Amino acid sequence: MKLVAKLKLAPTPEQAAALLVTMERFNAACDWLAGKAFGDRTANKYLVQRRYYAQLRADFGLGAQMAVRVLAKVCDAYKRDKKIRPTFKPHGAIVYDQRNSRIVGLDRVSLATLSGRIVVPFLVGEYQRTLVDRLKGQADLVYEPQTRGFFLYATAEVPTPEPGIPQDVLGLDLGIVNLAADSDGSLYAGAVCTGIRRRYHRLRQRLQAKGTRSAKRLLKQRRRKEQRFQANVNHILSKQLVQNAASTHRALALEDLKALRDRIRAPQAQRRVLHGWAFAQLRSFVEYKAALAGVKVVAVNPRNTSRTCPVCGLIDKANRPTQARFRCVGCGLEGEADTIAAQNIRALGRAAVMLPHASLLTVSPSGVEASSRL
Ligand SMILES: [Zn+2]
């Protein structure tokens, strides 16, 4: 599977200047060529190359390989929508490949610039370290003007083991009260993140009321900080969940992505922007970590999973007296609402794993009941 490592470069001031100049020239070349391609109404790489390659190199002083990247980037952008002329901002990403970039050792990268090759150190965390020796040489150089930082988004090809036959399913509910709950009864990271989100929400209101430029800047900084925090929480949480499933030879069942998107689009979405983002990220972290660990992931339709009783199968809104509690009006089963939902998701997951050819969407609530008795 393909994974992307975000490597923070640590260039000297001279190297940073060289990268920035190269980036500006690369994008100026893209923008010029986009005008030509649009004028000619062609996104055919070979045609564009035959007509403009020489001029591209001469006028912009680009090396052969970089000129080829410009051609590819412009033609790809134009191909996506033939109605508009693509434009390129001065600090858009530069695309590097194995011919104009190379990883040197474990923590440096050699990059072509207008003033020749430079070898730039980069910072590696634990996650990136596992990827560095698998980097394929395909990478985007990105500049973040707020921090004046350079980042390399490098693609790595990582082998994934064939998932074994699961012996059971661990259900996972992504919730509002708790960030996640599993069918074993563990609840994850609800309180901490809710507190953080609330604090952020209050701060945002205060700063938005101020409306000054410095308030806006502070707000942006805060948001990035919250997002880093949240990403860190998601990494830790997804790792725990996947390890739990792997060590007990279980598959993971999650609600399917469409349902998740609908939930994010729900009213009050504004207030849940960060939360919605966190959901989607947590899900993607779980998916790639599961793939790496050989844990099967099943997507289930979460309809009614929050109001179905996993013991007697009764579906009733009244089973959910509050957001946090579940109490079955039929049999009296009581519990944490998110845990009950996770148990229902587990039952749906079991049904799907045991009947691999059945459509996930046709597993009915009575199927839930039947499979939870198996
Ligand atoms: Zn019941």
Side-chain angles (χ1 to χ4, degrees):
M1 94 189 281
K2 277 205 169 84
L3 290 176
V4 175
K6 181 183 179 183
L7 307 171
K8 184 175 169 48
L9 300 186
T12 64
E14 293 77 26
Q15 289 180 331
L19 288 175
L20 206 57
V21 168
T22 305
M23 188 172 254
E24 284 163 3
R25 191 81 62 82
F26 180 90
N27 283 295
C30 284
D31 207 53
W32 171 80
L33 190 64
K36 292 294 179 195
F38 187 72
D40 295 356
R41 293 286 182 277
T42 179
N44 182 314
K45 221 178 286 178
Y46 302 99
L47 209 58
V48 175
Q49 177 160 359
R50 208 166 57 213
R51 286 181 191 163
Y52 301 109
Y53 178 76
Q55 198 181 348
L56 191 62
R57 289 200 57 186
D59 288 3
F60 293 91
L62 297 177
Q65 201 49 32
M66 205 162 273
V68 168
R69 296 324 317 175
V70 167
L71 281 158
K73 189 169 181 176
V74 167
C75 290
D76 285 348
Y78 185 34
K79 226 174 267 166
R80 274 196 292 275
D81 185 354
K82 293 261 203 147
K83 286 194 286 294
I84 49 170
R85 174 207 193 281
T87 56
F88 294 86
K89 297 198 177 108
H91 294 147
I94 301 188
V95 188
Y96 279 98
D97 59 24
Q98 51 272 58
R99 297 216 196 117
N100 57 6
S101 72
R102 191 165 61 86
I103 298 287
V104 183
L106 284 175
D107 55 3
R108 282 171 303 152
V109 60
S110 159
L111 296 169
T113 71
L114 294 175
S115 39
R117 286 267 185 163
I118 57 173
V119 176
V120 187
F122 57 78
L123 311 172
V124 270
E126 187 200 342
Y127 166 65
Q128 288 91 342
R129 203 184 306 277
T130 61
L131 296 180
V132 164
D133 54 350
R134 303 190 179 281
L135 295 180
K136 278 284 153 215
Q138 179 68 263
D140 282 1
L141 178 70
V142 171
Y143 178 63
E144 292 186 1
Q146 309 91 351
T147 57
R148 297 193 183 164
F150 284 97
F151 296 88
L152 205 60
Y153 287 78
T155 311
E157 185 64 46
V158 183
T160 52
E162 194 59 40
I165 296 164
Q167 292 174 8
D168 201 336
V169 173
L170 181 64
L172 185 62
D173 177 63
L174 304 179
I176 303 290
V177 180
N178 300 288
L179 189 55
D182 70 26
S183 53
D184 290 347
S186 302
L187 302 170
Y188 299 89
V192 186
C193 293
T194 309
I196 295 269
R197 279 199 299 272
R198 224 172 263 146
R199 214 171 62 213
Y200 168 70
H201 181 63
R202 278 200 304 270
L203 182 77
R204 186 170 63 184
Q205 282 183 324
R206 229 178 35 238
L207 290 174
Q208 272 172 349
K210 261 185 154 178
T212 60
R213 270 184 68 179
S214 70
K216 274 182 199 149
R217 198 168 51 236
L218 190 61
L219 194 61
K220 231 180 187 173
Q221 279 172 8
R222 283 304 301 188
R223 183 160 57 226
R224 275 202 297 276
K225 202 172 160 195
E226 307 297 348
Q227 288 185 346
R228 276 199 302 275
F229 172 82
Q230 187 70 66
N232 196 32
V233 168
N234 282 345
H235 267 302
I236 294 166
L237 173 52
S238 53
K239 196 170 163 181
Q240 277 175 0
L241 287 164
V242 169
Q243 271 174 356
N244 182 0
S247 64
T248 52
H249 307 286
R250 285 186 287 183
L252 274 168
L254 293 162
E255 56 191 300
D256 63 39
L257 202 58
K258 187 187 170 303
L260 188 66
R261 282 204 208 102
D262 290 346
R263 199 121 71 85
I264 293 166
R265 265 197 235 113
Q268 294 177 309
Q270 197 52 36
R271 269 202 278 148
R272 294 200 196 126
V273 167
L274 194 62
H275 198 160
W277 170 83
F279 265 154
Q281 188 187 54
L282 175 59
R283 200 181 190 293
S284 72
F285 284 5
V286 166
E287 277 179 343
Y288 87 69
K289 283 179 200 205
L292 291 177
V295 169
K296 193 178 169 73
V297 175
V298 210
V300 303
N301 180 351
R303 201 164 87 86
N304 289 334
T305 48
S306 63
R307 55 178 77 153
T308 301
C309 175
V311 171
C312 73
L314 180 76
I315 304 170
D316 199 321
K317 236 181 173 166
N319 285 347
R320 195 80 183 266
T322 67
Q323 178 79 268
R325 291 301 290 175
F326 183 96
R327 193 191 303 119
C328 178
V329 294
C331 73
L333 175 83
E334 254 193 272
E336 191 82 35
D338 290 347
T339 303
I340 302 276
Q343 285 167 357
N344 287 325
I345 288 171
R346 166 179 175 254
L348 289 165
R350 279 171 60 99
V353 168
M354 284 163 186
L355 306 165
H357 301 297
S359 158
L360 299 180
L361 301 176
T362 59
V363 178
S364 66
S366 58
V368 176
E369 193 194 352
S371 67
S372 66
R373 281 186 191 146
L374 288 172

